[in-house]
Amino acid sequence: MTTSTTKNQTHYECPDCDQPLVRRQGNKGYFWGCSNYPECTATRPDDNGKPGPARVKPIAMGDPCPECNEGERVKRTIRNGQRQGQTFIGCSRFPACHYAEFG
Ligand SMILES: [Zn+2]
Ligand SMILES: [Zn+2]
């Protein structure tokens, strides 16, 4: 029983240039890229057939990981789950090293 208003959204707009995003298959599976590529290089990860939240690049903190002493402490943003949007300090060697420090 569906009473929802059917939006029938078959395309998603690029966050950078408003051109439609297109689903592509890469080495690591599907992702969404801008149809204006290569002029626009915006991408989104694939989330069950639709564009997922943007990947946030880890920010290097400039000091070594206290757990493995090989990696570097990096600031990451949690992309899903209860703590979505929160930042924490992790190891650049993740998933090899599971160091994590919540603020
Ligand atoms: Zn674009
Ligand atoms: Zn580490």
Side-chain angles (χ1 to χ4, degrees), residues 28-70:
K28 296 175 186 171
Y30 287 107
F31 69 99
W32 291 77
C34 183
S35 58
N36 204 16
Y37 181 86
E39 275 175 55
C40 173
T41 54
T43 57
R44 282 284 187 279
D46 184 58
D47 181 14
N48 291 315
K50 56 185 200 304
R55 273 193 191 102
V56 183
K57 280 207 182 107
I59 304 159
M61 304 293 287
D63 48 358
C65 169
E67 192 151 309
C68 65
N69 272 311
E70 283 181 49

Side-chain angles (χ1 to χ4, degrees), residues 14-19 21 34-36 40-42:
C14 170
D16 288 358
C17 70
D18 294 337
Q19 294 298 306
L21 288 173
C34 183
S35 58
N36 204 16
C40 173
T41 54

